[in-house]
Amino acid sequence: MRLWLRIAWCAVLVGAGTAPAAHAAATLDPAFGVQGLATTDFGGTDYGNGVAVQDDGRIVSVGYRTSSGPTWYDFIGERLEPGGDALDTSFGIGGGFLTPISVGPANDYAEDVALAPGGKIVVAGHTIPDGGHTGSLAVARYDSDGEL
């Protein structure tokens, strides 16, 4: 499965007690990625949850993916060039990162991303021990080059 990054704008019309007669359909920007979409395969079942655009236009997206290691799901992230047509290979390893948060068997879910001063990238999510029903907040901060 692929991590889908979909960027589209839509407008919502709000009337005073009346519904709009028609809704405008959102369209993908054909100049972005391939026909408006950018996908990256992290080699597992991948889920995208958060996106942030840096001042230089590069796009950071985060989520989680299945793993065959000691954790079942791990934080993942990538940075795309502004046009969405290529990974920024100066970021992480080959344009992305994979971070197991837990030491033992667990599920680690990256849910959102924020850009911090100095180019740092902060990823928030949660971790649930294997077989557990309660989890813990998980926050990871990466350098501007994608290193933890």
Side-chain angles (χ1 to χ4, degrees), residues 67-143:
S67 172
S68 59
T71 59
W72 302 112
Y73 292 96
D74 295 321
F75 278 25
I76 56 172
E78 68 179 354
R79 185 163 67 191
L80 297 169
E81 296 293 348
D85 55 344
L87 286 170
D88 174 3
T89 57
S90 70
F91 182 78
I93 298 173
F97 61 79
L98 184 144
T99 306
I101 300 297
S102 302
V103 176
N107 297 309
D108 305 325
Y109 304 97
E111 302 292 347
D112 206 356
V113 62
L115 303 176
K120 303 278 187 181
I121 298 164
V122 181
V123 179
H126 65 281
T127 182
I128 301 173
D130 190 28
H133 298 287
T134 60
S136 300
L137 177 67
V139 178
R141 186 170 76 177
Y142 300 84
D143 290 331

Side-chain angles (χ1 to χ4, degrees), residues 1-3 45-49 62-66 73 76 110:
M1 192 169 213
R2 296 186 179 270
L3 171 70
T45 301
D46 308 322
Y47 303 90
N49 287 326
V62 300
Y64 56 95
R65 67 148 239 185
T66 57
Y73 292 96
I76 56 172

Side-chain angles (χ1 to χ4, degrees), residues 4-11 24-30 32 35-38 51 53 59:
W4 290 90
L5 172 64
R6 300 175 189 190
I7 299 179
W9 291 94
C10 64
T27 57
L28 295 173
D29 177 358
F32 179 80
Q35 299 178 357
L37 300 172
V51 65
V53 180
I59 301 162

